[in-house]
Amino acid sequence: MRPTHSCCSSRSRRYRRAALLALAALAVAPLLARSQEDAPGQEEPELVAEALFLCDTLPPGGRDLNLSLALAEGEPDPVTGETALQASPRVQLAMGLGERVGLSADVGLGTGGTVALDTPGASLKLLLRAPSATRTGLSASLDLFGSTHSLHEAEAGLGLGAIRALGRMALRASASVASGVTSWSPHLHFGTSAAVALGARWRALAEVVSEVAAGEVAVSAGPTVKVALAENSALMAGALFPLSQGGGLPVFTFQLTQSM
């Protein structure tokens, strides 16, 4: 049995309180902004597909630089059983290569004395059918997930996605299967998201994602909000709560997007 430490329990309680405060902020901020954004006579905001945790198969419309930071509880220490908060920063460049084709490339930034760059990835995204008010859009992606440690850890994947507009809301579903390039080790990622415009600058999202690997299924869900900071920049913040495997602490993700 793993030993119990009061400092670990205290850290867990503080982390849970922070999670509740963050969720309250995510829920209240868009509602406060809506009363100011949706003034009479103001045009309805353009509905744009959004997702933070869902695998993204849609090609970008232009050129975007994305900086993201994920905060999650790390693995417990094998001796003391204590856990620490781990930060995982990443940078991504996404660019459209045409009306129906796009490319994205991203890489992790090492922290805590690790290598400067880690787990690079690239994705070719294709719009198979454009969405409309009466038609579901379809998209696909060819993905490559690299490793700075060993070629055996590199993976290749294929993703499929669908999007449907429902008034001010956009519904998305996607699935991606990936496997090691040197051995057959498939794992599946799939989920859905619903995004609704709350004004000219604010959008709210709800996402449910699942991971299937080695016969185990993990399901998570959570809210996200997006706010336009300026004409060419936006900030997204979301929390993803594990619903399976006994629950656990949430993962917080922040993403800053700058259009170029």
Side-chain angles (χ1 to χ4, degrees):
M1 180 179 296
R2 192 176 71 185
T4 301
H5 295 266
S6 60
C7 60
C8 182
S9 301
S10 177
R11 182 185 296 110
S12 177
R13 288 194 296 270
R14 290 197 300 269
Y15 193 58
R16 291 180 186 275
R17 286 196 294 268
L20 293 175
L21 291 175
L23 282 178
L26 292 179
V28 172
L31 299 178
L32 295 177
R34 184 174 182 179
S35 61
Q36 300 176 359
E37 301 290 346
D38 295 341
Q42 189 177 33
E43 294 183 1
E44 295 248 341
E46 179 185 2
L47 185 60
V48 179
E50 305 287 1
L52 184 61
F53 300 103
L54 196 66
C55 53
D56 189 8
T57 59
L58 282 174
R63 291 187 298 174
D64 297 325
L65 180 64
N66 299 310
L67 302 175
S68 64
L69 177 66
L71 300 175
E73 185 182 28
E75 294 293 329
D77 186 277
V79 177
T80 65
E82 294 184 2
T83 58
L85 194 64
Q86 289 188 344
S88 302
R90 295 189 70 83
V91 58
Q92 181 193 67
L93 178 63
M95 63 180 66
L97 304 179
E99 293 184 359
R100 292 178 176 264
V101 182
L103 179 69
S104 67
D106 61 280
V107 66
L109 305 178
T111 58
T114 60
V115 294
L117 302 178
D118 195 18
T119 59
S123 179
L124 178 65
K125 305 175 188 292
L126 308 170
L127 181 62
L128 305 178
R129 186 172 70 181
S132 68
T134 58
R135 184 175 63 178
T136 300
L138 300 176
S139 58
S141 66
L142 300 174
D143 311 306
L144 181 63
F145 310 99
S147 173
T148 56
H149 306 290
S150 171
L151 178 62
H152 296 283
E153 299 179 15
E155 294 183 333
L158 171 66
L160 295 174
I163 178 172
R164 185 65 182 260
L166 295 176
R168 294 169 64 94
M169 181 179 295
L171 301 179
R172 294 183 63 179
S174 66
S176 174
V177 61
S179 174
V181 297
T182 59
S183 62
W184 179 243
S185 53
H187 54 91
L188 178 66
H189 173 99
F190 62 95
T192 60
S193 73
V196 60
L198 299 180
R201 298 174 55 214
W202 289 85
R203 288 184 175 88
L205 296 82
E207 297 179 74
V208 180
V209 297
S210 299
E211 296 275 356
V212 180
E216 296 185 354
V217 181
V219 182
S220 303
T224 299
V225 294
K226 178 179 180 179
V227 58
L229 302 177
E231 183 178 358
N232 296 322
S233 62
L235 177 66
M236 296 183 75
L240 196 63
F241 291 81
L243 304 180
S244 59
Q245 298 179 343
L249 297 178
V251 175
F252 294 101
T253 299
F254 306 89
Q255 179 174 288
L256 178 64
T257 298
Q258 178 66 48
S259 299
M260 297 180 292

